[in-house]
Amino acid sequence: MSASGGTRAIVAALSANLAIAVSKFVAFAFSGSSSMLAEGVHSLADSGNQALLLIGGKKAKRAASEDHPFGYGRERYVYAFLVSIVLFSVGGMFALYEGYEKIRHPHPIEHWYWPVGVLIFAILAEGSSFRTAVKESNHTRGSLSWVEYIRRAKAPELPVVLLEDFGALIGLALALAGVGISLATDSGVWDGIGTLCIGTLLICIALVLAAETKSLLIGEGAGPESLDRIRAAMVDDDTVTGVIHMRTLHLGPEELLVAAKIAVRHDDTAAEVARAIDAAEERIRAAEPFARVIYLEPDIYSEAAAAAGPDPDQTPGGR
């Protein structure tokens, strides 16, 4: 995934959310709509989230050090996880609290044209931001469905922006419905119900984000297609005759560690094996550009030893 594409989507979302947050707070001040207050806090939280993603992207570019020899690429996962926490607490829980209070102490919406006008403006702005995120995601999504893309993407920025913008659009529709029904029935209870729905939606999105980024933080390997390309690139059917077992780990969204034990012929010299390993590394990098750190260990493949050891078909990364 292109880092520049993710940055463009983040900047577009940040600009839209800052403008929307200001307009929502103004609408709340004039109308007293709890949906507007909840949506204003939601947009403010989203703005903070996009700032966190930008900070994480910048910190991840730091050069490797003795303490962190594999670099800081996974900082992007840390900041994406923080985004899910902010969205859950500041966005979702606050909205649930506001909705509960509005249902307990309902009051009619004043100056209805403020919240309605702001909601329409916000839908247009969020729609533009969402369109940018979709456009940037399509560059790397390929034939994956949107659900598969969000689950399998190794760079967290675009999935986060996609889910935030999608949730924001649904939340705005819920807020508009709550305000509309409140105006039609002259009951502020519906505005509170709309706010509760917004809070529930934000918490659900936050839980999805937390689950996906947690998986990345723990450490995910390459996808099935990448594994097939790497495995095929290792073998030259001359010196390297097979892959005994292999492990991969994403050190960051665009940096992959590959460690493998490869089978070589028993009568090859050390010089021949060394040249074969160098050639295999070049083939791997050509087949999978994200494979930046590669460790290959030569060994003599033994069917008897393989049969006595762990079943490669049941071992992640096995051949």
Side-chain angles (χ1 to χ4, degrees), residues 49-295:
N49 288 341
Q50 277 110 42
L52 285 173
L53 292 176
L54 291 173
I55 293 171
K58 184 176 181 179
K59 285 183 172 291
K61 294 178 181 178
R62 288 179 294 170
S65 64
E66 288 189 8
D67 291 334
H68 297 87
F70 292 113
Y72 295 84
R74 293 173 77 173
E75 283 223 46
R76 289 165 69 179
Y77 301 151
V78 174
Y79 280 84
F81 189 75
L82 290 177
V83 165
S84 67
I85 295 174
V86 172
L87 193 62
F88 180 90
S89 57
V90 180
M93 296 304 293
F94 179 80
L96 289 181
Y97 171 77
E98 270 301 309
Y100 173 72
E101 286 297 314
K102 187 60 181 283
I103 291 174
R104 284 187 61 199
H105 309 289
H107 56 82
I109 295 175
E110 301 174 355
H111 307 295
W112 62 269
Y113 41 83
W114 276 102
V116 171
V118 166
L119 286 171
I120 292 173
F121 165 73
I123 288 172
L124 294 174
E126 286 286 2
S128 176
S129 173
F130 185 60
R131 182 175 177 273
T132 300
V134 169
K135 181 180 177 181
E136 297 298 335
S137 299
N138 281 332
H139 294 321
T140 53
R141 184 169 66 94
S143 60
L144 296 176
S145 68
W146 286 108
V147 173
E148 290 174 329
Y149 176 71
I150 289 171
R151 287 185 59 85
R152 295 173 58 178
K154 304 303 181 184
E157 291 83 2
L158 283 174
V160 168
V161 174
L162 281 168
L163 283 174
E164 278 191 348
D165 286 350
F166 181 69
L169 286 170
I170 296 179
L172 289 167
L174 291 171
L176 191 59
V179 170
I181 297 175
S182 292
L183 292 172
T185 60
D186 198 29
S187 172
V189 171
W190 290 102
D191 187 31
I193 293 174
T195 307
L196 286 178
C197 292
I198 293 169
T200 303
L201 172 70
L202 293 180
I203 287 175
C204 289
I205 291 175
L207 292 175
V208 171
L209 283 177
E212 293 304 316
T213 51
K214 174 193 170 187
S215 179
L216 292 168
L217 274 173
I218 292 173
E220 286 189 1
E225 297 85 357
S226 294
L227 288 174
D228 290 340
R229 288 195 298 269
I230 293 170
R231 191 176 289 111
M234 276 188 203
V235 179
D236 62 3
D237 291 324
D238 182 16
T239 304
V240 182
T241 60
V243 180
I244 298 174
H245 64 73
M246 179 173 67
R247 300 291 184 271
T248 62
L249 177 68
H250 268 276
L251 303 173
E254 292 150 6
E255 187 171 11
L256 184 67
L257 181 149
V258 179
K261 180 175 285 191
I262 56 176
V264 298
R265 301 184 188 279
H266 71 279
D267 54 352
D268 288 332
T269 66
E272 289 173 331
V273 171
R275 286 195 295 270
I277 289 175
D278 291 340
E281 290 178 354
E282 290 182 7
R283 293 194 301 271
I284 292 169
R285 290 191 173 95
E288 184 57 57
F290 287 171
R292 308 282 177 82
V293 183
I294 303 174
Y295 299 110

